[in-house]
Amino acid sequence: MTTPITIKQLDPTDPIAIACLESYYTELAARFERGFDVSLSRDPEAQNMMPPLGAFFVAMSGGAALGCCGLKGDGSEVAEIKRLWVNPTARGMGLAQRLLAECEVAARGLGITVLRLDTNSALPEAERLYRKTGWTQIERFNDDPYPDLFFEKAVPVG
């Protein structure tokens, strides 16, 4: 890819963000044994992924969205990473790590000290990424019907 990739913070209701999320949901529906229906998931409210509670980031190249990741906050010191997705054509370029790093920076700026996330074992690359980037597996922390793996990470201060 010759066009530079930038990470932009967007409103999660922006059409570019929505297109990313729809691509993510389509992929989950294809990869999960029982499919995926976002209405059954603990889908975050948009305001929880916008300042002053959270943030939403999209990786862009030449006007095309290549991936996204949300930081879902509630005003407390604990927040969740939601909807991390990278377009299959852009995988292997480190975008997931870059998106996670942007969420960590945003979390630090919002006074968040602990991040949590959930995933499904049908996404082994996600599990590998989280373990590789310092996430620790924890007990279930929500009642979302889709995830079966749960992780936590302290947000580095400074």
Side-chain angles (χ1 to χ4, degrees):
M1 191 166 279
T2 57
T3 307
I5 297 171
T6 59
I7 308 289
K8 293 184 176 187
Q9 186 170 345
L10 294 180
D11 181 315
T13 63
D14 183 284
I16 293 170
I18 290 171
C20 267
L21 292 168
E22 288 174 352
S23 294
Y24 174 64
Y25 301 150
T26 298
E27 182 171 347
L28 293 182
R31 293 185 65 183
F32 288 0
E33 187 175 307
R34 295 175 298 167
F36 179 80
D37 179 348
V38 70
S39 70
L40 301 177
S41 175
R42 290 182 48 116
D43 198 38
E45 296 292 331
Q47 69 266 17
N48 293 97
M49 293 191 296
M50 295 187 305
L53 298 177
F56 193 83
F57 297 96
V58 176
M60 302 286 299
S61 179
L66 299 178
C68 62
C69 190
L71 172 66
K72 173 191 161 196
D74 62 7
S76 74
E77 293 182 357
V78 178
E80 284 185 70
I81 298 295
K82 300 297 291 180
R83 310 309 188 218
L84 174 59
W85 174 78
V86 173
N87 186 303
T89 63
R91 291 187 183 157
M93 301 168 65
L95 288 182
Q97 286 181 262
R98 286 179 62 190
L99 287 161
L100 281 172
E102 288 291 338
C103 284
E104 284 188 33
V105 169
R108 193 175 306 116
L110 294 170
I112 295 165
T113 59
V114 176
L115 292 174
R116 291 186 178 148
L117 60 79
D118 58 40
T119 191
N120 187 290
S121 54
L123 307 170
E125 67 279 20
E127 179 182 0
R128 282 191 301 275
L129 170 68
Y130 302 139
R131 292 185 190 284
K132 175 179 143 184
T133 55
W135 292 79
T136 302
Q137 191 167 352
I138 61 171
E139 295 296 317
R140 175 180 282 276
F141 63 85
N142 66 37
D143 61 357
D144 189 309
Y146 293 105
D148 56 3
L149 296 169
F150 301 82
F151 292 88
E152 184 173 274
K153 184 177 186 180
V155 176
V157 178

